[in-house]
Amino acid sequence: MAITSEGSLAPLPMSPPHKGKGDLLTMWLYLAALVGLYYLLRWYRERQVVSHLRDKYVFITGCDSGFGNLLARQLDLRGLRVLAACLTEKGAQKLKGQTSDRVETVILDVTNTQSIAAATQWVKERVGDRGLWGLVNNAGTFHPFGYTDWLKIDTYMSTLQVNLIGLIEVTLSMLPLVKSAQGRIVNVSSILGRLAFFGTVYSCSKYGVEAFSDVLRRELQHFGVKISIVEPGYFRTEMTDLQKASETMKQVWKEVPPHIKETYGQKFFDAYFENMKNGLLQSSTNLNLVTDCMEHALTSVHPRTRYSAGWDAQFFFIPLSYLPTSLADYILTRSWPKPAQAV
């Protein structure tokens, strides 16, 4: 009790009750329930499949091997009409021997404008008024491993020509057919398109793919066209074959100008070479982790905007990309060798 100005007694004000452990537990349970409900609803939405898949055409680039080859076979089993573009006749013949008669092949060089125009006309003759339901830009190349100042400008130009300029030109050429079907475009990027820490020109090309896809998605939303980006982590394909990569790394180092080579030193290259080899050896061989993302983007009523393919992408590189830059730099480079003339 307290004494008032008139001398009477008045009750003391009540202090607010403290939240106990039970209240905090309840709050966390509500939060967990909301998160669980969100993922349950997303799972339900993403399980809805597009109807009449057997009547839909999908054009895939880079089907000689790797992701493109596997995706063509995977979609063939789903009953879709696959139009597979291969760089070589050998790759096309190999794919034909692995698939049904529903799969048709065409030779395509994504760096050649005339080749792209011819492939587009070939696709148009087959899809007719139905349009092209799916365009999968999978064709790509990986430049020789090496530091930024080890590589020649020709390497930069050729990599960008395949991975970015070729992808853009194929998309623009096929876009009227995709619009006609209110279809899908699936662009294969890379985890290096989200977090660049080696492979300068490759990362640049994939950052370009991300930017092109983001702008295109926003511009085409009123045409009923959906754009998805697939960002694989480390996977073992012909493009990252260990023997070929080892040979090209050695060749790149051999051609580095002497004044640049002196700043790094032979011991640096040897350590770098071993790090790259170990990274390739640890690459995943389960290519279905990537092609399942592509298939979902093409067949789900509600495809995702981005797909992170591979455990390394989902649980290491993507979370790492949200850290402060200085911390991410430390984590990524702490084990790197030091150049001979490091300051």
Side-chain angles (χ1 to χ4, degrees):
M1 302 294 286
I3 301 175
T4 65
S5 57
E6 290 82 6
S8 60
L9 296 177
L12 290 169
M14 297 288 291
S15 59
H18 294 285
K19 286 187 176 180
K21 292 183 179 179
D23 296 320
L24 290 175
L25 179 60
T26 301
M27 180 185 71
W28 284 111
L29 288 174
Y30 276 124
L31 181 60
L34 287 173
V35 172
L37 181 60
Y38 165 77
Y39 281 104
L40 181 63
L41 289 174
R42 192 177 79 162
W43 173 81
Y44 173 74
R45 277 170 53 87
E46 292 185 348
R47 281 181 60 86
Q48 299 177 44
V49 179
V50 172
S51 60
H52 307 296
L53 286 178
R54 289 183 172 273
D55 297 328
K56 298 186 184 303
Y57 284 88
V58 176
F59 181 76
I60 311 167
T61 66
C63 291
D64 298 75
S65 62
F67 302 136
N69 180 277
L70 179 57
L71 178 64
R73 291 184 278 128
Q74 198 166 316
L75 296 183
D76 181 35
L77 293 175
R78 287 292 300 270
L80 281 86
R81 298 180 178 274
V82 178
L83 304 175
C86 298
L87 180 61
T88 66
E89 188 62 42
K90 179 181 178 181
Q93 291 298 328
K94 177 183 176 183
L95 181 60
K96 286 180 180 178
Q98 299 171 318
T99 54
S100 72
D101 295 338
R102 294 169 62 86
V103 176
E104 299 182 70
T105 61
V106 65
I107 303 302
L108 171 64
D109 179 356
V110 299
T111 68
N112 186 300
T113 298
Q114 292 182 343
S115 180
I116 293 172
T120 302
Q121 181 59 35
W122 178 84
V123 171
K124 187 175 182 179
E125 291 171 357
R126 279 149 183 79
V127 303
D129 295 335
R130 285 173 291 189
L132 181 62
W133 171 255
L135 166 61
V136 182
N137 284 307
N138 166 74
T141 185
F142 195 91
H143 71 84
F145 291 90
Y147 266 43
T148 301
D149 53 352
W150 297 1
L151 303 178
K152 299 176 180 179
I153 192 63
D154 290 345
T155 301
Y156 284 82
M157 297 296 290
S158 61
T159 303
L160 289 169
Q161 186 65 42
V162 175
N163 291 354
L164 181 58
I165 304 303
L167 179 147
I168 292 173
E169 189 169 2
V170 169
T171 301
L172 294 178
S173 186
M174 299 280 182
L175 192 53
L177 300 176
V178 179
K179 277 185 175 180
S180 177
Q182 295 183 18
R184 311 287 174 81
I185 298 175
V186 181
N187 291 331
V188 180
S189 178
S190 167
I191 197 60
L192 292 175
R194 291 283 294 275
L195 184 67
F197 56 96
F198 85 98
T200 310
V201 63
Y202 184 81
S203 296
C204 287
S205 69
K206 295 305 182 180
Y207 264 74
V209 170
E210 299 267 342
F212 176 72
S213 303
D214 282 340
V215 174
L216 195 65
R217 182 182 67 254
R218 290 166 179 139
E219 291 179 345
L220 297 182
Q221 60 181 321
H222 298 299
F223 292 95
V225 177
K226 299 182 186 297
I227 316 292
S228 295
I229 307 169
V230 179
E231 301 168 334
Y234 288 1
F235 285 88
R236 195 176 304 174
T237 65
E238 286 190 16
M239 195 168 69
T240 55
D241 177 74
L242 179 59
Q243 183 177 352
K244 292 180 181 178
S246 298
E247 292 173 357
T248 54
M249 274 190 282
K250 292 177 180 178
Q251 185 62 33
V252 166
W253 178 248
K254 182 180 179 181
E255 297 176 1
V256 172
H259 69 281
I260 295 178
K261 191 177 291 186
E262 289 175 4
T263 65
Y264 289 94
Q266 186 62 40
K267 289 184 178 179
F268 176 90
F269 173 75
D270 293 340
Y272 171 81
F273 182 81
E274 288 302 317
N275 284 346
M276 292 297 102
K277 279 180 58 178
N278 291 334
L280 290 174
L281 288 171
Q282 295 172 13
S283 299
S284 174
T285 58
N286 186 6
L287 305 189
N288 285 106
L289 294 175
V290 178
T291 56
D292 286 348
C293 294
M294 298 175 176
E295 181 181 341
H296 186 271
L298 293 165
T299 61
S300 174
V301 174
H302 303 286
R304 299 182 190 178
T305 300
R306 278 179 168 81
Y307 294 85
S308 298
W311 299 113
D312 55 346
Q314 293 180 26
F315 297 107
F316 182 69
F317 292 116
I318 293 297
L320 193 63
S321 69
Y322 290 102
L323 293 180
T325 303
S326 58
L327 180 56
D329 287 351
Y330 171 75
I331 293 173
L332 289 168
T333 64
R334 69 187 188 281
S335 62
W336 288 12
K338 288 187 177 182
Q341 297 182 13
V343 294

